[in-house]
Amino acid sequence: AGRVQSAALQIVCDREDEINAFIPEEYWTLEAILDIAGEKKPLTAKFYGTKEGKFAIENQAQSDAICKSLENETFRVIDVKKGTRTKKAPLPFTTSTLQQEAAHKLNFTTRRTMMIAQQLYEGVTVGKNSVGLITYMRTDSVRISDDAHAAAKEFILSNYGKEYYPDKTNVYVKGKQNVQDAHEAIRPSYPDRTPESLKPYLDNDQYRLYKLIWEKFMSSEMAPATIANKTIDIKAGDYNLKAGTSKIMFDGFLKLYNDAEEEEQEKEAKIPNLNEGDKVECKEVNPKQHFTQPPPRYNEASLVKALEEHGIGRPSTYATIITVIQTRKYVEKKDKDMLKLAKYSKKLNIEKEVSEIMQVIL
């Protein structure tokens, strides 16, 4: 039906049903604050379970019983695991991932993102000439041309050093069957035109979006990051606790771009040097009550992701789909820009509702 607004609306309706049907479940977590000999800062270890394995604390009675049991126990390190892992460079932008990242990092709507990307693609006056700064912005391909690979390699070697360029050029193949490969991924037309060099010629929105695209593309051409992991297992009576962290040993592509959520970004917190058999003193145990949460309502970024995953629409239609269902008042933005069904659009019978909406659209 036209640009498949009806299918997008059904996705929003189905999520609203999930939220309405959701029944919260209680659970508890425990954190032990541990003093380490010779260390100024205490170590925080999280309750894990027993020797049989992990288990969830379901209610306050269980939590109180475990806390009471831990009061007089000796806390001893039973295992220290160290390791390293590599984190690969991210894929360059497609239309949908650009819209999602611009929403998360720049707080742009899908419509605003595409409007600014169009300006960067059509050309911006740099000096006396109009220059197209990015490749075509409606694409679901992650392919990069040989010329762009070569230009990126030269820039990375010159500005960051050979350790920041991978042993073999990063080549990405997206595992979707319906990808149309007529266009490359979204990338800067000229990798050596850095955001800072173009800042005098761009307005603030253009600069921010170009910087996002440039950094994403350049990072996609760089070497992987190396991250050290450390996990400490602690036993107290019948119970086990764990403490752990990650530390970046070589930043690689992270020097330019980190697409992880804030809470997922690598921590630099130091874990003290502990060995198997070491004793630690428990200062306190902090229980905390939680309730499971319903799935969140879609925002523009997550709805674009859902449309792509379901094979609904094309790169050129994502922004239009989301704009239409809002301008026609089928959905409205609420807290944190979440898309909520408008009052009169609440679904009673989804087949009947969508059929009626399709007739209106047609």
Side-chain angles (χ1 to χ4, degrees), residues 57-81:
I57 305 171
E58 298 178 350
N59 52 54
Q60 186 171 0
Q62 288 182 354
S63 174
D64 289 346
I66 294 170
C67 288
K68 185 174 179 62
S69 176
L70 290 174
E71 284 180 2
N72 301 313
E73 294 292 352
T74 299
F75 287 68
R76 187 185 301 275
V77 175
I78 59 171
D79 194 18
V80 178
K81 298 186 183 76

Short mmCIF file of all heavy atoms in Angstrom, two decimals, residues 57-81:
data_model
loop_
_atom_site.label_atom_id
_atom_site.label_comp_id
_atom_site.label_asym_id
_atom_site.label_seq_id
_atom_site.Cartn_x
_atom_site.Cartn_y
_atom_site.Cartn_z
N ILE A 57 17.75 -14.45 42.09
CA ILE A 57 17.07 -14.24 43.38
C ILE A 57 15.71 -13.64 43.07
O ILE A 57 15.61 -12.54 42.51
CB ILE A 57 17.90 -13.29 44.27
CG1 ILE A 57 19.31 -13.84 44.45
CG2 ILE A 57 17.23 -13.12 45.63
CD1 ILE A 57 20.26 -12.87 45.15
N GLU A 58 14.65 -14.34 43.42
CA GLU A 58 13.32 -13.99 42.96
C GLU A 58 12.54 -13.08 43.89
O GLU A 58 11.60 -12.41 43.45
CB GLU A 58 12.50 -15.26 42.70
CG GLU A 58 13.10 -16.15 41.61
CD GLU A 58 12.31 -17.42 41.41
OE1 GLU A 58 11.42 -17.70 42.25
OE2 GLU A 58 12.59 -18.13 40.42
N ASN A 59 12.89 -13.05 45.19
CA ASN A 59 12.09 -12.25 46.13
C ASN A 59 12.93 -11.81 47.31
O ASN A 59 14.10 -12.21 47.46
CB ASN A 59 10.86 -13.04 46.60
CG ASN A 59 11.24 -14.41 47.13
OD1 ASN A 59 12.08 -14.54 48.01
ND2 ASN A 59 10.64 -15.46 46.55
N GLN A 60 12.33 -10.99 48.16
CA GLN A 60 13.07 -10.43 49.30
C GLN A 60 13.45 -11.50 50.31
O GLN A 60 14.51 -11.42 50.93
CB GLN A 60 12.24 -9.33 49.98
CG GLN A 60 13.01 -8.62 51.08
CD GLN A 60 12.30 -7.39 51.60
OE1 GLN A 60 11.21 -7.05 51.15
NE2 GLN A 60 12.91 -6.72 52.57
N ALA A 61 12.61 -12.51 50.49
CA ALA A 61 12.91 -13.56 51.45
C ALA A 61 14.21 -14.28 51.06
O ALA A 61 15.08 -14.53 51.92
CB ALA A 61 11.75 -14.56 51.52
N GLN A 62 14.36 -14.60 49.80
CA GLN A 62 15.60 -15.24 49.33
C GLN A 62 16.78 -14.30 49.51
O GLN A 62 17.87 -14.71 49.94
CB GLN A 62 15.47 -15.63 47.86
CG GLN A 62 14.56 -16.82 47.59
CD GLN A 62 14.53 -17.18 46.10
OE1 GLN A 62 15.11 -16.48 45.27
NE2 GLN A 62 13.86 -18.28 45.78
N SER A 63 16.58 -13.03 49.18
CA SER A 63 17.65 -12.04 49.30
C SER A 63 18.11 -11.89 50.74
O SER A 63 19.32 -11.90 51.04
CB SER A 63 17.17 -10.69 48.76
OG SER A 63 18.12 -9.68 48.98
N ASP A 64 17.15 -11.79 51.66
CA ASP A 64 17.49 -11.64 53.08
C ASP A 64 18.24 -12.86 53.60
O ASP A 64 19.19 -12.74 54.38
CB ASP A 64 16.21 -11.43 53.91
CG ASP A 64 15.59 -10.06 53.66
OD1 ASP A 64 16.27 -9.20 53.07
OD2 ASP A 64 14.42 -9.87 54.04
N ALA A 65 17.83 -14.05 53.16
CA ALA A 65 18.47 -15.28 53.62
C ALA A 65 19.93 -15.35 53.15
O ALA A 65 20.83 -15.73 53.91
CB ALA A 65 17.69 -16.49 53.11
N ILE A 66 20.17 -14.95 51.91
CA ILE A 66 21.54 -14.97 51.37
C ILE A 66 22.41 -13.94 52.07
O ILE A 66 23.56 -14.20 52.45
CB ILE A 66 21.53 -14.75 49.85
CG1 ILE A 66 20.84 -15.92 49.14
CG2 ILE A 66 22.95 -14.57 49.31
CD1 ILE A 66 20.57 -15.68 47.68
N CYS A 67 21.85 -12.72 52.28
CA CYS A 67 22.61 -11.66 52.98
C CYS A 67 23.00 -12.11 54.38
O CYS A 67 24.13 -11.89 54.82
CB CYS A 67 21.77 -10.40 53.05
SG CYS A 67 21.58 -9.54 51.47
N LYS A 68 22.06 -12.74 55.08
CA LYS A 68 22.33 -13.21 56.45
C LYS A 68 23.41 -14.28 56.44
O LYS A 68 24.30 -14.29 57.29
CB LYS A 68 21.04 -13.75 57.06
CG LYS A 68 21.16 -14.16 58.53
CD LYS A 68 19.82 -14.54 59.10
CE LYS A 68 19.92 -14.96 60.55
NZ LYS A 68 20.41 -13.88 61.42
N SER A 69 23.34 -15.17 55.45
CA SER A 69 24.33 -16.25 55.35
C SER A 69 25.72 -15.70 55.07
O SER A 69 26.72 -16.25 55.56
CB SER A 69 23.90 -17.23 54.26
OG SER A 69 24.86 -18.22 54.06
N LEU A 70 25.80 -14.62 54.30
CA LEU A 70 27.10 -14.06 53.92
C LEU A 70 27.77 -13.28 55.04
O LEU A 70 28.97 -13.02 54.99
CB LEU A 70 26.93 -13.15 52.70
CG LEU A 70 26.60 -13.83 51.37
CD1 LEU A 70 26.33 -12.78 50.29
CD2 LEU A 70 27.72 -14.77 50.93
N GLU A 71 27.01 -12.90 56.07
CA GLU A 71 27.53 -12.03 57.13
C GLU A 71 28.76 -12.61 57.82
O GLU A 71 29.71 -11.90 58.13
CB GLU A 71 26.43 -11.77 58.18
CG GLU A 71 25.39 -10.77 57.73
CD GLU A 71 24.32 -10.56 58.79
OE1 GLU A 71 24.44 -11.16 59.89
OE2 GLU A 71 23.37 -9.79 58.53
N ASN A 72 28.76 -13.92 58.05
CA ASN A 72 29.85 -14.53 58.83
C ASN A 72 30.76 -15.43 57.99
O ASN A 72 31.54 -16.21 58.54
CB ASN A 72 29.25 -15.35 59.98
CG ASN A 72 28.41 -14.49 60.90
OD1 ASN A 72 28.83 -13.40 61.30
ND2 ASN A 72 27.21 -14.97 61.23
N GLU A 73 30.67 -15.30 56.66
CA GLU A 73 31.45 -16.15 55.79
C GLU A 73 32.82 -15.53 55.48
O GLU A 73 33.00 -14.31 55.52
CB GLU A 73 30.72 -16.42 54.48
CG GLU A 73 29.44 -17.22 54.63
CD GLU A 73 29.70 -18.66 55.04
OE1 GLU A 73 30.88 -19.10 55.07
OE2 GLU A 73 28.70 -19.35 55.34
N THR A 74 33.77 -16.38 55.16
CA THR A 74 35.08 -15.95 54.68
C THR A 74 35.03 -15.85 53.16
O THR A 74 34.60 -16.79 52.49
CB THR A 74 36.17 -16.94 55.09
OG1 THR A 74 36.21 -17.03 56.52
CG2 THR A 74 37.54 -16.50 54.56
N PHE A 75 35.46 -14.71 52.64
CA PHE A 75 35.46 -14.50 51.20
C PHE A 75 36.86 -14.81 50.66
O PHE A 75 37.85 -14.19 51.08
CB PHE A 75 35.07 -13.05 50.87
CG PHE A 75 33.62 -12.74 51.08
CD1 PHE A 75 33.07 -12.72 52.35
CD2 PHE A 75 32.79 -12.49 49.99
CE1 PHE A 75 31.73 -12.44 52.54
CE2 PHE A 75 31.44 -12.20 50.17
CZ PHE A 75 30.90 -12.18 51.45
N ARG A 76 36.93 -15.75 49.72
CA ARG A 76 38.21 -16.20 49.22
C ARG A 76 38.19 -16.26 47.69
O ARG A 76 37.20 -16.69 47.08
CB ARG A 76 38.54 -17.58 49.80
CG ARG A 76 39.94 -18.07 49.48
CD ARG A 76 40.13 -19.50 49.98
NE ARG A 76 39.93 -19.62 51.40
CZ ARG A 76 40.86 -19.39 52.32
NH1 ARG A 76 42.08 -19.03 51.92
NH2 ARG A 76 40.59 -19.53 53.59
N VAL A 77 39.29 -15.83 47.06
CA VAL A 77 39.41 -15.88 45.61
C VAL A 77 39.64 -17.34 45.20
O VAL A 77 40.55 -18.00 45.71
CB VAL A 77 40.58 -15.01 45.11
CG1 VAL A 77 40.77 -15.17 43.60
CG2 VAL A 77 40.35 -13.55 45.47
N ILE A 78 38.81 -17.85 44.30
CA ILE A 78 38.96 -19.24 43.86
C ILE A 78 39.44 -19.35 42.41
O ILE A 78 39.89 -20.40 41.98
CB ILE A 78 37.65 -20.04 44.03
CG1 ILE A 78 36.51 -19.39 43.22
CG2 ILE A 78 37.28 -20.17 45.49
CD1 ILE A 78 35.25 -20.24 43.18
N ASP A 79 39.38 -18.25 41.67
CA ASP A 79 39.85 -18.31 40.28
C ASP A 79 40.06 -16.89 39.75
O ASP A 79 39.29 -15.98 40.07
CB ASP A 79 38.84 -19.05 39.40
CG ASP A 79 39.43 -19.43 38.04
OD1 ASP A 79 40.67 -19.43 37.91
OD2 ASP A 79 38.66 -19.70 37.12
N VAL A 80 41.10 -16.73 38.96
CA VAL A 80 41.37 -15.46 38.27
C VAL A 80 41.59 -15.78 36.80
O VAL A 80 42.52 -16.52 36.46
CB VAL A 80 42.59 -14.72 38.86
CG1 VAL A 80 42.84 -13.43 38.08
CG2 VAL A 80 42.39 -14.43 40.34
N LYS A 81 40.72 -15.24 35.96
CA LYS A 81 40.85 -15.50 34.51
C LYS A 81 41.29 -14.22 33.81
O LYS A 81 40.70 -13.16 34.04
CB LYS A 81 39.52 -15.97 33.92
CG LYS A 81 38.99 -17.27 34.49
CD LYS A 81 37.75 -17.70 33.72
CE LYS A 81 37.14 -18.98 34.30
NZ LYS A 81 36.42 -18.73 35.56
#
